[in-house]
Amino acid sequence: MDSSYLVIGPSAFHPSVEAWSLERLPFEPKGQMVQFRNAVRKALLSWRPIPGSHLVAQYISPIAQPCDVENIVFYNVGARSFTHLQCKAISFERVLSKPPDSPYAANRDWGHYLSYEIGDIQQGWTHWKPSRILADWNNVFCEILSSSSKASRLWYKFRTSANAGRVHRVNTSTKSHALLGMKITIKVPGRVRMNLTSVIKPLFDGVIAAFNGHDGTDMHVVTKRIAAELCTGQEEIVRLLEDEQMAILGSRRLVWPWREGIQWNPSDDRLVAGELSIAEFASQREWELSGELFEVNQETSS
């Protein structure tokens, strides 16, 4: 066992996968963090698939730095580690507290903790409960989602669907310190086999970006590049970025130039609870998204 991390499970006596580390797992790890990521991957890949199940992930750390929890638990680990599980739902939560003690190094002061378990499809979050609803949406048309899906396309779909009445602003704003939760259901025609962890990043980035306003920085450059990516007019992209009607989460530098394209910067660092599920309908003709964005309160034990 490397002293900088510990990974245990799954086994007959320990059905979940748990991982402790001194550093937070980044997108492009180096040194011992590569070994840590590979150990987590190996543990996940050894899991027997339970088709139709619910994968529940947690990230626990007392370090209150801004981060995207869905990236830490899924994207940074690598979507291929979850493909074989054939889950119909995945959920995640971030908890700002000391990680639980590890069974083989109980006195170690670990800074970061990941856990994964297969739960019931109706299983909710352990540490958070929804409170004030900020927005909801029903039957927003989208293209077939895959690992190559782009946040720009989903942002565009949501912004234009708001104008068409498919996305509803329930409250006009939220406090800047309020923590958020979001649930999304992908409605698909017939039976579809997909790895939900491979689409959660562009999907959540694009949807949350739709509820942010842009502060105008590099407006000409970013709108030109978004328009080229979407094969649409630059004037329409300017109009959608400047429209504050759906900016429930406030204005920020939402998008900036990145290499030859753009990079989105939505308020998903405030997102501490998320759920993504897939629903199959034989009569469905299009891929559609339904769900809601809401504030959350910490769950208290009775």
Side-chain angles (χ1 to χ4, degrees):
M1 180 192 75
D2 190 290
S3 60
S4 67
Y5 66 85
L6 170 66
V7 180
I8 61 174
S11 68
F13 304 101
H14 196 95
S16 63
V17 172
E18 294 184 278
W20 292 259
S21 62
L22 298 180
E23 301 176 39
R24 190 175 74 196
L25 181 64
F27 171 57
E28 295 181 334
K30 297 179 181 179
Q32 292 181 340
M33 292 307 288
V34 175
Q35 300 172 28
F36 173 58
R37 182 194 62 188
N38 292 342
V40 174
R41 287 177 172 178
K42 182 178 180 180
L44 292 169
L45 288 168
S46 69
W47 237 339
R48 288 188 177 183
I50 307 177
S53 59
H54 184 163
L55 175 64
V56 181
Q58 289 186 359
Y59 168 57
I60 300 179
S61 173
I63 302 172
Q65 294 176 341
C67 65
D68 299 346
V69 60
E70 68 275 19
N71 289 355
I72 296 170
V73 297
F74 298 127
Y75 187 68
N76 295 358
V77 173
R80 291 184 180 180
S81 304
F82 304 93
T83 303
H84 69 293
L85 297 178
Q86 303 176 41
C87 296
K88 290 297 183 184
I90 59 175
S91 64
F92 60 85
E93 54 187 319
R94 178 188 184 185
V95 186
L96 287 169
S97 69
K98 184 180 181 297
D101 289 335
S102 57
Y104 304 117
N107 297 323
R108 193 65 188 267
D109 189 18
W110 302 106
H112 307 270
Y113 168 81
L114 302 174
S115 73
Y116 304 87
E117 64 175 288
I118 300 296
D120 183 83
I121 199 69
Q122 300 298 326
Q123 182 172 346
W125 300 300
T126 303
H127 299 274
W128 304 102
K129 59 181 179 181
S131 59
R132 194 170 69 120
I133 296 177
L134 302 174
D136 58 30
W137 51 93
N138 192 42
N139 300 334
V140 173
F141 296 115
C142 69
E143 299 170 351
I144 295 175
L145 296 171
S146 70
S147 58
S148 60
S149 295
K150 302 294 185 182
S152 298
R153 177 66 64 182
L154 291 153
W155 166 83
Y156 181 75
K157 287 289 186 183
F158 264 68
R159 276 295 173 126
T160 53
S161 293
N163 294 337
R166 292 182 180 270
V167 180
H168 308 99
R169 182 186 64 181
V170 179
N171 282 286
T172 58
S173 64
T174 181
K175 294 180 180 179
S176 60
H177 63 271
L179 299 176
L180 306 174
M182 185 163 67
K183 292 185 177 183
I184 299 179
T185 298
I186 308 170
K187 299 179 180 179
V188 298
R191 297 187 64 183
V192 172
R193 181 175 177 177
M194 67 181 299
N195 178 6
L196 291 174
T197 64
S198 70
V199 302
I200 194 169
K201 178 175 173 55
L203 181 53
F204 274 53
D205 281 356
V207 173
I208 295 177
F211 298 107
N212 275 126
H214 181 56
D215 65 5
T217 305
D218 296 319
M219 181 66 88
H220 178 75
V221 176
V222 297
T223 54
K224 183 178 181 180
R225 293 185 180 185
I226 295 172
E229 183 178 326
L230 300 180
C231 299
T232 190
Q234 185 177 0
E235 297 80 5
E236 182 181 19
I237 302 302
V238 171
R239 178 180 60 80
L240 292 174
L241 275 180
E242 290 181 340
D243 185 2
E244 297 291 331
Q245 290 298 309
M246 295 301 296
I248 302 168
L249 302 180
S251 182
R252 60 194 286 147
R253 191 181 181 188
L254 179 60
V255 58
W256 56 63
W258 174 252
R259 297 177 180 170
E260 299 302 315
I262 53 94
Q263 183 170 341
W264 291 93
N265 179 41
S267 297
D268 55 346
D269 55 300
R270 295 168 55 188
L271 191 75
V272 295
E275 180 181 293
L276 178 62
S277 61
I278 187 168
E280 300 167 338
F281 296 95
S283 59
Q284 189 88 7
R285 293 188 176 183
E286 305 283 347
W287 284 54
E288 297 175 340
L289 302 173
S290 295
E292 57 185 16
L293 175 71
F294 43 85
E295 296 175 351
V296 294
N297 293 325
Q298 194 156 10
E299 188 74 73
T300 56
S301 56
S302 55

